[in-house]
Amino acid sequence: MTTRGILVCLVLSAVGFVETAWSQTLTVEETLLVEWKSVYGQVETRNRVPARTRIGGTVTELDVSEGDQVEAGQRIAMVVDDKLDFQLGSLDARLTALNAQLETAEADLARGEQLIERGVITAQRFDQLQTAVDVIQGEIRSLGSERLVIEQQIAEGAVLSPEAGVVLSVPISRGSVVKPGEVAAVVAGGGVFLRLSVPERHASDLLEGAEIEIGTVQTETSTRKTGRLAKLYPQIEGGRLQADVEVAGLDPRFVGRRMPVRLPVGERSAILVPERALDRVGGLDFLTIEAEDGDKRRRTVVPGGTVIRDGETWREILTGLDVGDRVVLENE
């Protein structure tokens, strides 16, 4: 083959390559887009339970601080009431005296049994001796019950965690004087979720079980993280609807941390084309349109926002493109 023939083949090959590069077209159709509302969610725990004191007294021991992990039933603090020890000592002294009286009464009753057999004392006197023993035994049992009550009150000086979780706050300190029912610590447990405060105008657009996007607008390189709208609270306060979102792998270390969330609040029709179909020249955006006769013409369009579909970036076209138009795409 001559040099001229080789050049002709190269030119024809180049023309064929150009035709192949512009041979792919996309017929424009309307697409339903989900309307998203950007709000902030706050990391909350499912349960937030106060650990309360059960008796009044002085805090002698404080075993936890903010951020500590606790188990259900674990001791948080110890409250001591000195009066209970004094009452316990008083009861012990009375029990000692009654036990001594019981020994004397039982000895008198034993002698009375011998004397009544010999007819020395009357049955009435013997009954009095038996009654004296019964009365003292009853007083001993009563004081024993009172002692158990005081021992239980002393044991209830231990402030216990109501459930497993993390300690959010400890409003008392060692040496504090507390009353029964005061909060010694607030324990958060039961897992974490995102609490949302949504404007009431979007209340009717939200459904339990809907998928929620965590983060801002998705890009090509961002990882799409989602959650599930688990609960909508029926009471609207201050024009805001409260909602809970379950998110897998949510960091529970910082309760109250705010995170951006995107809520689906509706749908609308839009025209989308791949980002690679747009060509920007001199500040204007152009698309190549293939006419019915096969001719290709460049048309000025006004693009809108981006949408990620199947890992590819698409652009919404606001004006300059109609449904049914065939957009020429460059092959990659």
Side-chain angles (χ1 to χ4, degrees):
M1 182 180 293
T2 63
T3 303
R4 180 181 178 85
I6 295 175
L7 291 175
V8 171
C9 290
L10 290 175
V11 170
L12 291 176
S13 299
V15 172
F17 174 79
V18 172
E19 289 295 324
T20 303
W22 289 91
S23 60
Q24 187 178 0
T25 60
L26 172 69
T27 302
V28 175
E29 298 178 351
E30 283 190 346
T31 303
L32 285 179
L33 291 183
V34 177
E35 285 284 348
W36 298 91
K37 170 66 177 177
S38 296
V39 297
Y40 273 92
Q42 187 166 310
V43 178
E44 293 286 351
T45 56
R46 190 170 303 279
N47 303 319
R48 186 178 291 192
V49 187
R52 299 183 181 274
T53 58
R54 293 177 287 179
I55 65 171
T58 304
V59 179
T60 58
E61 298 180 40
L62 190 59
D63 302 327
V64 299
S65 62
E66 291 83 353
D68 289 349
Q69 293 286 336
V70 294
E71 298 296 330
Q74 179 179 332
R75 194 182 78 170
I76 290 176
M78 187 68 191
V79 178
V80 173
D81 187 355
D82 293 334
K83 297 190 297 295
L84 296 178
D85 291 332
F86 298 150
Q87 292 176 14
L88 203 59
S90 175
L91 287 177
D92 289 339
R94 292 171 61 186
L95 284 171
T96 301
L98 286 174
N99 284 324
Q101 293 178 18
L102 180 61
E103 291 180 3
T104 302
E106 287 177 342
D108 291 342
L109 180 61
R111 285 193 298 269
E113 289 177 349
Q114 297 174 0
L115 293 175
I116 197 172
E117 290 176 355
R118 291 183 289 177
V120 177
I121 62 173
T122 63
Q124 182 181 4
R125 175 58 183 163
F126 180 77
D127 290 341
Q128 290 176 351
L129 294 174
Q130 181 66 55
T131 301
V133 172
D134 294 339
V135 169
I136 295 174
Q137 289 177 340
E139 290 182 359
I140 290 175
R141 288 194 296 270
S142 176
L143 290 179
S145 298
E146 290 184 27
R147 195 180 195 283
L148 290 176
V149 170
I150 295 176
E151 289 178 347
Q152 179 63 28
Q153 288 178 330
I154 293 175
E156 287 179 352
V159 182
L160 307 179
S161 172
E163 67 173 271
V166 61
V167 177
L168 293 183
S169 64
V170 183
I172 62 173
S173 61
R174 188 178 288 105
S176 300
V177 178
V178 296
K179 294 183 293 186
E182 282 195 34
V183 176
V186 177
V187 180
V192 292
F193 58 89
L194 280 180
R195 171 69 54 80
L196 307 181
S197 183
V198 185
E200 61 182 340
R201 65 179 180 275
H202 299 303
S204 59
D205 298 323
L206 300 177
L207 296 174
E208 291 187 359
E211 187 179 78
I212 306 300
E213 288 191 0
I214 310 302
T216 55
V217 179
Q218 304 295 318
T219 63
E220 291 182 276
T221 58
S222 63
T223 302
R224 187 172 182 265
K225 189 173 184 180
T226 61
R228 185 181 68 88
L229 190 60
K231 186 173 183 179
L232 295 173
Y233 290 87
Q235 184 174 2
I236 296 178
E237 296 181 353
R240 293 276 174 171
L241 170 71
Q242 304 297 316
D244 292 343
V245 178
E246 292 181 346
V247 182
L250 191 62
D251 189 356
R253 293 179 299 169
F254 304 107
V255 177
R257 182 166 61 97
R258 301 180 69 200
M259 298 180 63
V261 177
R262 299 175 68 221
L263 298 175
V265 294
E267 292 182 339
R268 63 180 177 85
S269 297
I271 293 177
L272 300 178
V273 297
E275 176 79 24
R276 55 190 174 91
L278 287 166
D279 185 21
R280 190 172 184 82
V281 178
L284 298 178
D285 293 282
F286 295 91
L287 286 175
T288 301
I289 306 300
E290 185 178 77
E292 294 182 359
D293 55 5
D295 290 340
K296 297 178 179 59
R297 303 181 180 86
R298 290 169 62 82
R299 185 183 298 175
T300 305
V301 295
V302 177
T306 60
V307 178
I308 306 299
R309 300 177 64 186
D310 300 327
E312 184 179 1
T313 303
W314 293 62
R315 291 287 295 274
E316 180 182 0
I317 303 302
L318 303 178
T319 59
L321 197 61
D322 297 322
V323 175
D325 289 342
R326 291 189 296 177
V327 178
V328 178
L329 305 178
E330 292 186 4
N331 290 329
E332 294 182 345

mmCIF file with all atom_site columns, all heavy atoms in Angstrom, residues 85-110:
data_model
loop_
_atom_site.group_PDB
_atom_site.id
_atom_site.type_symbol
_atom_site.label_atom_id
_atom_site.label_alt_id
_atom_site.label_comp_id
_atom_site.label_asym_id
_atom_site.label_entity_id
_atom_site.label_seq_id
_atom_site.pdbx_PDB_ins_code
_atom_site.Cartn_x
_atom_site.Cartn_y
_atom_site.Cartn_z
_atom_site.occupancy
_atom_site.B_iso_or_equiv
_atom_site.pdbx_formal_charge
_atom_site.auth_seq_id
_atom_site.auth_comp_id
_atom_site.auth_asym_id
_atom_site.auth_atom_id
_atom_site.pdbx_PDB_model_num
ATOM 1   N N   . ASP A 1 85  ? -28.351 4.372   113.184 1.00 0.00 ? 85  ASP A N   1
ATOM 2   C CA  . ASP A 1 85  ? -27.451 3.604   114.044 1.00 0.00 ? 85  ASP A CA  1
ATOM 3   C C   . ASP A 1 85  ? -27.829 3.768   115.512 1.00 0.00 ? 85  ASP A C   1
ATOM 4   O O   . ASP A 1 85  ? -27.780 2.812   116.294 1.00 0.00 ? 85  ASP A O   1
ATOM 5   C CB  . ASP A 1 85  ? -26.008 4.053   113.817 1.00 0.00 ? 85  ASP A CB  1
ATOM 6   C CG  . ASP A 1 85  ? -25.486 3.652   112.447 1.00 0.00 ? 85  ASP A CG  1
ATOM 7   O OD1 . ASP A 1 85  ? -25.973 2.628   111.913 1.00 0.00 ? 85  ASP A OD1 1
ATOM 8   O OD2 . ASP A 1 85  ? -24.624 4.364   111.893 1.00 0.00 ? 85  ASP A OD2 1
ATOM 9   N N   . PHE A 1 86  ? -28.215 5.001   115.880 1.00 0.00 ? 86  PHE A N   1
ATOM 10  C CA  . PHE A 1 86  ? -28.631 5.231   117.263 1.00 0.00 ? 86  PHE A CA  1
ATOM 11  C C   . PHE A 1 86  ? -29.905 4.443   117.582 1.00 0.00 ? 86  PHE A C   1
ATOM 12  O O   . PHE A 1 86  ? -30.027 3.843   118.657 1.00 0.00 ? 86  PHE A O   1
ATOM 13  C CB  . PHE A 1 86  ? -28.860 6.719   117.506 1.00 0.00 ? 86  PHE A CB  1
ATOM 14  C CG  . PHE A 1 86  ? -27.619 7.546   117.325 1.00 0.00 ? 86  PHE A CG  1
ATOM 15  C CD1 . PHE A 1 86  ? -27.695 8.864   116.891 1.00 0.00 ? 86  PHE A CD1 1
ATOM 16  C CD2 . PHE A 1 86  ? -26.361 7.006   117.575 1.00 0.00 ? 86  PHE A CD2 1
ATOM 17  C CE1 . PHE A 1 86  ? -26.556 9.625   116.721 1.00 0.00 ? 86  PHE A CE1 1
ATOM 18  C CE2 . PHE A 1 86  ? -25.207 7.767   117.400 1.00 0.00 ? 86  PHE A CE2 1
ATOM 19  C CZ  . PHE A 1 86  ? -25.304 9.074   116.975 1.00 0.00 ? 86  PHE A CZ  1
ATOM 20  N N   . GLN A 1 87  ? -30.849 4.426   116.622 1.00 0.00 ? 87  GLN A N   1
ATOM 21  C CA  . GLN A 1 87  ? -32.081 3.675   116.839 1.00 0.00 ? 87  GLN A CA  1
ATOM 22  C C   . GLN A 1 87  ? -31.796 2.178   116.939 1.00 0.00 ? 87  GLN A C   1
ATOM 23  O O   . GLN A 1 87  ? -32.409 1.468   117.749 1.00 0.00 ? 87  GLN A O   1
ATOM 24  C CB  . GLN A 1 87  ? -33.067 3.939   115.696 1.00 0.00 ? 87  GLN A CB  1
ATOM 25  C CG  . GLN A 1 87  ? -33.608 5.360   115.659 1.00 0.00 ? 87  GLN A CG  1
ATOM 26  C CD  . GLN A 1 87  ? -34.494 5.600   114.452 1.00 0.00 ? 87  GLN A CD  1
ATOM 27  O OE1 . GLN A 1 87  ? -34.915 4.652   113.789 1.00 0.00 ? 87  GLN A OE1 1
ATOM 28  N NE2 . GLN A 1 87  ? -34.771 6.873   114.167 1.00 0.00 ? 87  GLN A NE2 1
ATOM 29  N N   . LEU A 1 88  ? -30.855 1.726   116.137 1.00 0.00 ? 88  LEU A N   1
ATOM 30  C CA  . LEU A 1 88  ? -30.485 0.313   116.185 1.00 0.00 ? 88  LEU A CA  1
ATOM 31  C C   . LEU A 1 88  ? -29.871 -0.036  117.530 1.00 0.00 ? 88  LEU A C   1
ATOM 32  O O   . LEU A 1 88  ? -30.166 -1.089  118.124 1.00 0.00 ? 88  LEU A O   1
ATOM 33  C CB  . LEU A 1 88  ? -29.511 0.002   115.044 1.00 0.00 ? 88  LEU A CB  1
ATOM 34  C CG  . LEU A 1 88  ? -29.409 -1.450  114.576 1.00 0.00 ? 88  LEU A CG  1
ATOM 35  C CD1 . LEU A 1 88  ? -30.753 -1.959  114.102 1.00 0.00 ? 88  LEU A CD1 1
ATOM 36  C CD2 . LEU A 1 88  ? -28.376 -1.564  113.478 1.00 0.00 ? 88  LEU A CD2 1
ATOM 37  N N   . GLY A 1 89  ? -29.024 0.855   118.040 1.00 0.00 ? 89  GLY A N   1
ATOM 38  C CA  . GLY A 1 89  ? -28.436 0.608   119.357 1.00 0.00 ? 89  GLY A CA  1
ATOM 39  C C   . GLY A 1 89  ? -29.478 0.611   120.449 1.00 0.00 ? 89  GLY A C   1
ATOM 40  O O   . GLY A 1 89  ? -29.411 -0.199  121.398 1.00 0.00 ? 89  GLY A O   1
ATOM 41  N N   . SER A 1 90  ? -30.469 1.509   120.361 1.00 0.00 ? 90  SER A N   1
ATOM 42  C CA  . SER A 1 90  ? -31.540 1.541   121.348 1.00 0.00 ? 90  SER A CA  1
ATOM 43  C C   . SER A 1 90  ? -32.343 0.248   121.333 1.00 0.00 ? 90  SER A C   1
ATOM 44  O O   . SER A 1 90  ? -32.690 -0.307  122.386 1.00 0.00 ? 90  SER A O   1
ATOM 45  C CB  . SER A 1 90  ? -32.445 2.736   121.087 1.00 0.00 ? 90  SER A CB  1
ATOM 46  O OG  . SER A 1 90  ? -33.557 2.738   121.951 1.00 0.00 ? 90  SER A OG  1
ATOM 47  N N   . LEU A 1 91  ? -32.655 -0.245  120.130 1.00 0.00 ? 91  LEU A N   1
ATOM 48  C CA  . LEU A 1 91  ? -33.409 -1.494  120.031 1.00 0.00 ? 91  LEU A CA  1
ATOM 49  C C   . LEU A 1 91  ? -32.614 -2.663  120.591 1.00 0.00 ? 91  LEU A C   1
ATOM 50  O O   . LEU A 1 91  ? -33.172 -3.555  121.259 1.00 0.00 ? 91  LEU A O   1
ATOM 51  C CB  . LEU A 1 91  ? -33.782 -1.756  118.573 1.00 0.00 ? 91  LEU A CB  1
ATOM 52  C CG  . LEU A 1 91  ? -34.884 -0.886  117.971 1.00 0.00 ? 91  LEU A CG  1
ATOM 53  C CD1 . LEU A 1 91  ? -35.076 -1.230  116.506 1.00 0.00 ? 91  LEU A CD1 1
ATOM 54  C CD2 . LEU A 1 91  ? -36.191 -1.069  118.732 1.00 0.00 ? 91  LEU A CD2 1
ATOM 55  N N   . ASP A 1 92  ? -31.305 -2.687  120.325 1.00 0.00 ? 92  ASP A N   1
ATOM 56  C CA  . ASP A 1 92  ? -30.479 -3.775  120.859 1.00 0.00 ? 92  ASP A CA  1
ATOM 57  C C   . ASP A 1 92  ? -30.490 -3.765  122.385 1.00 0.00 ? 92  ASP A C   1
ATOM 58  O O   . ASP A 1 92  ? -30.539 -4.822  123.032 1.00 0.00 ? 92  ASP A O   1
ATOM 59  C CB  . ASP A 1 92  ? -29.051 -3.648  120.329 1.00 0.00 ? 92  ASP A CB  1
ATOM 60  C CG  . ASP A 1 92  ? -28.958 -3.994  118.853 1.00 0.00 ? 92  ASP A CG  1
ATOM 61  O OD1 . ASP A 1 92  ? -29.858 -4.682  118.355 1.00 0.00 ? 92  ASP A OD1 1
ATOM 62  O OD2 . ASP A 1 92  ? -27.983 -3.568  118.201 1.00 0.00 ? 92  ASP A OD2 1
ATOM 63  N N   . ALA A 1 93  ? -30.444 -2.566  122.986 1.00 0.00 ? 93  ALA A N   1
ATOM 64  C CA  . ALA A 1 93  ? -30.477 -2.476  124.449 1.00 0.00 ? 93  ALA A CA  1
ATOM 65  C C   . ALA A 1 93  ? -31.817 -2.968  124.986 1.00 0.00 ? 93  ALA A C   1
ATOM 66  O O   . ALA A 1 93  ? -31.871 -3.698  125.997 1.00 0.00 ? 93  ALA A O   1
ATOM 67  C CB  . ALA A 1 93  ? -30.231 -1.035  124.876 1.00 0.00 ? 93  ALA A CB  1
ATOM 68  N N   . ARG A 1 94  ? -32.907 -2.590  124.322 1.00 0.00 ? 94  ARG A N   1
ATOM 69  C CA  . ARG A 1 94  ? -34.217 -3.058  124.770 1.00 0.00 ? 94  ARG A CA  1
ATOM 70  C C   . ARG A 1 94  ? -34.361 -4.563  124.588 1.00 0.00 ? 94  ARG A C   1
ATOM 71  O O   . ARG A 1 94  ? -34.956 -5.235  125.438 1.00 0.00 ? 94  ARG A O   1
ATOM 72  C CB  . ARG A 1 94  ? -35.306 -2.324  123.981 1.00 0.00 ? 94  ARG A CB  1
ATOM 73  C CG  . ARG A 1 94  ? -35.398 -0.841  124.299 1.00 0.00 ? 94  ARG A CG  1
ATOM 74  C CD  . ARG A 1 94  ? -36.325 -0.123  123.350 1.00 0.00 ? 94  ARG A CD  1
ATOM 75  N NE  . ARG A 1 94  ? -37.693 -0.645  123.435 1.00 0.00 ? 94  ARG A NE  1
ATOM 76  C CZ  . ARG A 1 94  ? -38.679 -0.256  122.612 1.00 0.00 ? 94  ARG A CZ  1
ATOM 77  N NH1 . ARG A 1 94  ? -38.414 0.633   121.643 1.00 0.00 ? 94  ARG A NH1 1
ATOM 78  N NH2 . ARG A 1 94  ? -39.881 -0.757  122.744 1.00 0.00 ? 94  ARG A NH2 1
ATOM 79  N N   . LEU A 1 95  ? -33.814 -5.091  123.500 1.00 0.00 ? 95  LEU A N   1
ATOM 80  C CA  . LEU A 1 95  ? -33.863 -6.542  123.297 1.00 0.00 ? 95  LEU A CA  1
ATOM 81  C C   . LEU A 1 95  ? -33.064 -7.270  124.372 1.00 0.00 ? 95  LEU A C   1
ATOM 82  O O   . LEU A 1 95  ? -33.477 -8.340  124.852 1.00 0.00 ? 95  LEU A O   1
ATOM 83  C CB  . LEU A 1 95  ? -33.321 -6.886  121.907 1.00 0.00 ? 95  LEU A CB  1
ATOM 84  C CG  . LEU A 1 95  ? -34.258 -6.613  120.735 1.00 0.00 ? 95  LEU A CG  1
ATOM 85  C CD1 . LEU A 1 95  ? -33.518 -6.789  119.409 1.00 0.00 ? 95  LEU A CD1 1
ATOM 86  C CD2 . LEU A 1 95  ? -35.466 -7.543  120.776 1.00 0.00 ? 95  LEU A CD2 1
ATOM 87  N N   . THR A 1 96  ? -31.914 -6.707  124.758 1.00 0.00 ? 96  THR A N   1
ATOM 88  C CA  . THR A 1 96  ? -31.125 -7.329  125.825 1.00 0.00 ? 96  THR A CA  1
ATOM 89  C C   . THR A 1 96  ? -31.911 -7.374  127.129 1.00 0.00 ? 96  THR A C   1
ATOM 90  O O   . THR A 1 96  ? -31.929 -8.395  127.839 1.00 0.00 ? 96  THR A O   1
ATOM 91  C CB  . THR A 1 96  ? -29.811 -6.560  126.022 1.00 0.00 ? 96  THR A CB  1
ATOM 92  O OG1 . THR A 1 96  ? -29.080 -6.573  124.796 1.00 0.00 ? 96  THR A OG1 1
ATOM 93  C CG2 . THR A 1 96  ? -28.962 -7.196  127.123 1.00 0.00 ? 96  THR A CG2 1
ATOM 94  N N   . ALA A 1 97  ? -32.585 -6.269  127.452 1.00 0.00 ? 97  ALA A N   1
ATOM 95  C CA  . ALA A 1 97  ? -33.372 -6.227  128.680 1.00 0.00 ? 97  ALA A CA  1
ATOM 96  C C   . ALA A 1 97  ? -34.546 -7.202  128.623 1.00 0.00 ? 97  ALA A C   1
ATOM 97  O O   . ALA A 1 97  ? -34.846 -7.908  129.607 1.00 0.00 ? 97  ALA A O   1
ATOM 98  C CB  . ALA A 1 97  ? -33.877 -4.809  128.911 1.00 0.00 ? 97  ALA A CB  1
ATOM 99  N N   . LEU A 1 98  ? -35.216 -7.273  127.491 1.00 0.00 ? 98  LEU A N   1
ATOM 100 C CA  . LEU A 1 98  ? -36.347 -8.190  127.365 1.00 0.00 ? 98  LEU A CA  1
ATOM 101 C C   . LEU A 1 98  ? -35.901 -9.642  127.428 1.00 0.00 ? 98  LEU A C   1
ATOM 102 O O   . LEU A 1 98  ? -36.620 -10.497 127.984 1.00 0.00 ? 98  LEU A O   1
ATOM 103 C CB  . LEU A 1 98  ? -37.092 -7.911  126.054 1.00 0.00 ? 98  LEU A CB  1
ATOM 104 C CG  . LEU A 1 98  ? -37.955 -6.650  126.027 1.00 0.00 ? 98  LEU A CG  1
ATOM 105 C CD1 . LEU A 1 98  ? -38.505 -6.418  124.638 1.00 0.00 ? 98  LEU A CD1 1
ATOM 106 C CD2 . LEU A 1 98  ? -39.099 -6.746  127.041 1.00 0.00 ? 98  LEU A CD2 1
ATOM 107 N N   . ASN A 1 99  ? -34.749 -9.933  126.845 1.00 0.00 ? 99  ASN A N   1
ATOM 108 C CA  . ASN A 1 99  ? -34.251 -11.313 126.935 1.00 0.00 ? 99  ASN A CA  1
ATOM 109 C C   . ASN A 1 99  ? -33.960 -11.693 128.379 1.00 0.00 ? 99  ASN A C   1
ATOM 110 O O   . ASN A 1 99  ? -34.205 -12.837 128.809 1.00 0.00 ? 99  ASN A O   1
ATOM 111 C CB  . ASN A 1 99  ? -32.992 -11.464 126.079 1.00 0.00 ? 99  ASN A CB  1
ATOM 112 C CG  . ASN A 1 99  ? -33.318 -11.529 124.593 1.00 0.00 ? 99  ASN A CG  1
ATOM 113 O OD1 . ASN A 1 99  ? -34.330 -12.097 124.206 1.00 0.00 ? 99  ASN A OD1 1
ATOM 114 N ND2 . ASN A 1 99  ? -32.458 -10.947 123.761 1.00 0.00 ? 99  ASN A ND2 1
ATOM 115 N N   . ALA A 1 100 ? -33.437 -10.733 129.159 1.00 0.00 ? 100 ALA A N   1
ATOM 116 C CA  . ALA A 1 100 ? -33.206 -11.014 130.586 1.00 0.00 ? 100 ALA A CA  1
ATOM 117 C C   . ALA A 1 100 ? -34.531 -11.224 131.310 1.00 0.00 ? 100 ALA A C   1
ATOM 118 O O   . ALA A 1 100 ? -34.665 -12.144 132.141 1.00 0.00 ? 100 ALA A O   1
ATOM 119 C CB  . ALA A 1 100 ? -32.421 -9.856  131.210 1.00 0.00 ? 100 ALA A CB  1
ATOM 120 N N   . GLN A 1 101 ? -35.538 -10.380 131.005 1.00 0.00 ? 101 GLN A N   1
ATOM 121 C CA  . GLN A 1 101 ? -36.851 -10.557 131.617 1.00 0.00 ? 101 GLN A CA  1
ATOM 122 C C   . GLN A 1 101 ? -37.462 -11.895 131.203 1.00 0.00 ? 101 GLN A C   1
ATOM 123 O O   . GLN A 1 101 ? -38.140 -12.554 132.013 1.00 0.00 ? 101 GLN A O   1
ATOM 124 C CB  . GLN A 1 101 ? -37.777 -9.410  131.213 1.00 0.00 ? 101 GLN A CB  1
ATOM 125 C CG  . GLN A 1 101 ? -37.379 -8.059  131.753 1.00 0.00 ? 101 GLN A CG  1
ATOM 126 C CD  . GLN A 1 101 ? -38.291 -6.955  131.278 1.00 0.00 ? 101 GLN A CD  1
ATOM 127 O OE1 . GLN A 1 101 ? -39.408 -7.210  130.820 1.00 0.00 ? 101 GLN A OE1 1
ATOM 128 N NE2 . GLN A 1 101 ? -37.822 -5.718  131.381 1.00 0.00 ? 101 GLN A NE2 1
ATOM 129 N N   . LEU A 1 102 ? -37.211 -12.300 129.946 1.00 0.00 ? 102 LEU A N   1
ATOM 130 C CA  . LEU A 1 102 ? -37.762 -13.574 129.476 1.00 0.00 ? 102 LEU A CA  1
ATOM 131 C C   . LEU A 1 102 ? -37.143 -14.744 130.234 1.00 0.00 ? 102 LEU A C   1
ATOM 132 O O   . LEU A 1 102 ? -37.850 -15.710 130.587 1.00 0.00 ? 102 LEU A O   1
ATOM 133 C CB  . LEU A 1 102 ? -37.524 -13.713 127.970 1.00 0.00 ? 102 LEU A CB  1
ATOM 134 C CG  . LEU A 1 102 ? -38.052 -14.994 127.325 1.00 0.00 ? 102 LEU A CG  1
ATOM 135 C CD1 . LEU A 1 102 ? -39.567 -15.082 127.482 1.00 0.00 ? 102 LEU A CD1 1
ATOM 136 C CD2 . LEU A 1 102 ? -37.664 -15.057 125.852 1.00 0.00 ? 102 LEU A CD2 1
ATOM 137 N N   . GLU A 1 103 ? -35.844 -14.671 130.482 1.00 0.00 ? 103 GLU A N   1
ATOM 138 C CA  . GLU A 1 103 ? -35.212 -15.746 131.251 1.00 0.00 ? 103 GLU A CA  1
ATOM 139 C C   . GLU A 1 103 ? -35.831 -15.855 132.635 1.00 0.00 ? 103 GLU A C   1
ATOM 140 O O   . GLU A 1 103 ? -36.111 -16.969 133.118 1.00 0.00 ? 103 GLU A O   1
ATOM 141 C CB  . GLU A 1 103 ? -33.703 -15.487 131.352 1.00 0.00 ? 103 GLU A CB  1
ATOM 142 C CG  . GLU A 1 103 ? -32.959 -15.637 130.024 1.00 0.00 ? 103 GLU A CG  1
ATOM 143 C CD  . GLU A 1 103 ? -31.473 -15.363 130.193 1.00 0.00 ? 103 GLU A CD  1
ATOM 144 O OE1 . GLU A 1 103 ? -31.044 -15.129 131.336 1.00 0.00 ? 103 GLU A OE1 1
ATOM 145 O OE2 . GLU A 1 103 ? -30.760 -15.380 129.166 1.00 0.00 ? 103 GLU A OE2 1
ATOM 146 N N   . THR A 1 104 ? -36.081 -14.721 133.298 1.00 0.00 ? 104 THR A N   1
ATOM 147 C CA  . THR A 1 104 ? -36.687 -14.738 134.640 1.00 0.00 ? 104 THR A CA  1
ATOM 148 C C   . THR A 1 104 ? -38.113 -15.273 134.575 1.00 0.00 ? 104 THR A C   1
ATOM 149 O O   . THR A 1 104 ? -38.532 -16.101 135.401 1.00 0.00 ? 104 THR A O   1
ATOM 150 C CB  . THR A 1 104 ? -36.678 -13.329 135.242 1.00 0.00 ? 104 THR A CB  1
ATOM 151 O OG1 . THR A 1 104 ? -35.343 -12.856 135.306 1.00 0.00 ? 104 THR A OG1 1
ATOM 152 C CG2 . THR A 1 104 ? -37.287 -13.321 136.643 1.00 0.00 ? 104 THR A CG2 1
ATOM 153 N N   . ALA A 1 105 ? -38.885 -14.812 133.569 1.00 0.00 ? 105 ALA A N   1
ATOM 154 C CA  . ALA A 1 105 ? -40.269 -15.256 133.456 1.00 0.00 ? 105 ALA A CA  1
ATOM 155 C C   . ALA A 1 105 ? -40.350 -16.741 133.148 1.00 0.00 ? 105 ALA A C   1
ATOM 156 O O   . ALA A 1 105 ? -41.233 -17.449 133.669 1.00 0.00 ? 105 ALA A O   1
ATOM 157 C CB  . ALA A 1 105 ? -40.974 -14.449 132.376 1.00 0.00 ? 105 ALA A CB  1
ATOM 158 N N   . GLU A 1 106 ? -39.446 -17.248 132.315 1.00 0.00 ? 106 GLU A N   1
ATOM 159 C CA  . GLU A 1 106 ? -39.458 -18.676 132.001 1.00 0.00 ? 106 GLU A CA  1
ATOM 160 C C   . GLU A 1 106 ? -39.057 -19.504 133.220 1.00 0.00 ? 106 GLU A C   1
ATOM 161 O O   . GLU A 1 106 ? -39.589 -20.608 133.450 1.00 0.00 ? 106 GLU A O   1
ATOM 162 C CB  . GLU A 1 106 ? -38.508 -18.948 130.829 1.00 0.00 ? 106 GLU A CB  1
ATOM 163 C CG  . GLU A 1 106 ? -39.052 -18.454 129.489 1.00 0.00 ? 106 GLU A CG  1
ATOM 164 C CD  . GLU A 1 106 ? -38.063 -18.658 128.360 1.00 0.00 ? 106 GLU A CD  1
ATOM 165 O OE1 . GLU A 1 106 ? -36.850 -18.847 128.662 1.00 0.00 ? 106 GLU A OE1 1
ATOM 166 O OE2 . GLU A 1 106 ? -38.473 -18.619 127.181 1.00 0.00 ? 106 GLU A OE2 1
ATOM 167 N N   . ALA A 1 107 ? -38.119 -18.965 134.032 1.00 0.00 ? 107 ALA A N   1
ATOM 168 C CA  . ALA A 1 107 ? -37.753 -19.679 135.275 1.00 0.00 ? 107 ALA A CA  1
ATOM 169 C C   . ALA A 1 107 ? -38.929 -19.714 136.243 1.00 0.00 ? 107 ALA A C   1
ATOM 170 O O   . ALA A 1 107 ? -39.212 -20.750 136.875 1.00 0.00 ? 107 ALA A O   1
ATOM 171 C CB  . ALA A 1 107 ? -36.539 -19.012 135.918 1.00 0.00 ? 107 ALA A CB  1
ATOM 172 N N   . ASP A 1 108 ? -39.662 -18.564 136.366 1.00 0.00 ? 108 ASP A N   1
ATOM 173 C CA  . ASP A 1 108 ? -40.848 -18.534 137.232 1.00 0.00 ? 108 ASP A CA  1
ATOM 174 C C   . ASP A 1 108 ? -41.903 -19.489 136.722 1.00 0.00 ? 108 ASP A C   1
ATOM 175 O O   . ASP A 1 108 ? -42.591 -20.168 137.525 1.00 0.00 ? 108 ASP A O   1
ATOM 176 C CB  . ASP A 1 108 ? -41.416 -17.111 137.286 1.00 0.00 ? 108 ASP A CB  1
ATOM 177 C CG  . ASP A 1 108 ? -40.501 -16.157 138.032 1.00 0.00 ? 108 ASP A CG  1
ATOM 178 O OD1 . ASP A 1 108 ? -39.621 -16.639 138.783 1.00 0.00 ? 108 ASP A OD1 1
ATOM 179 O OD2 . ASP A 1 108 ? -40.654 -14.927 137.830 1.00 0.00 ? 108 ASP A OD2 1
ATOM 180 N N   . LEU A 1 109 ? -42.052 -19.582 135.381 1.00 0.00 ? 109 LEU A N   1
ATOM 181 C CA  . LEU A 1 109 ? -43.045 -20.489 134.822 1.00 0.00 ? 109 LEU A CA  1
ATOM 182 C C   . LEU A 1 109 ? -42.664 -21.940 135.093 1.00 0.00 ? 109 LEU A C   1
ATOM 183 O O   . LEU A 1 109 ? -43.528 -22.775 135.392 1.00 0.00 ? 109 LEU A O   1
ATOM 184 C CB  . LEU A 1 109 ? -43.177 -20.245 133.315 1.00 0.00 ? 109 LEU A CB  1
ATOM 185 C CG  . LEU A 1 109 ? -44.191 -21.117 132.575 1.00 0.00 ? 109 LEU A CG  1
ATOM 186 C CD1 . LEU A 1 109 ? -45.606 -20.891 133.126 1.00 0.00 ? 109 LEU A CD1 1
ATOM 187 C CD2 . LEU A 1 109 ? -44.154 -20.823 131.079 1.00 0.00 ? 109 LEU A CD2 1
ATOM 188 N N   . ALA A 1 110 ? -41.375 -22.256 135.010 1.00 0.00 ? 110 ALA A N   1
ATOM 189 C CA  . ALA A 1 110 ? -40.939 -23.626 135.287 1.00 0.00 ? 110 ALA A CA  1
ATOM 190 C C   . ALA A 1 110 ? -41.204 -24.003 136.747 1.00 0.00 ? 110 ALA A C   1
ATOM 191 O O   . ALA A 1 110 ? -41.653 -25.123 137.040 1.00 0.00 ? 110 ALA A O   1
ATOM 192 C CB  . ALA A 1 110 ? -39.453 -23.764 134.951 1.00 0.00 ? 110 ALA A CB  1
#
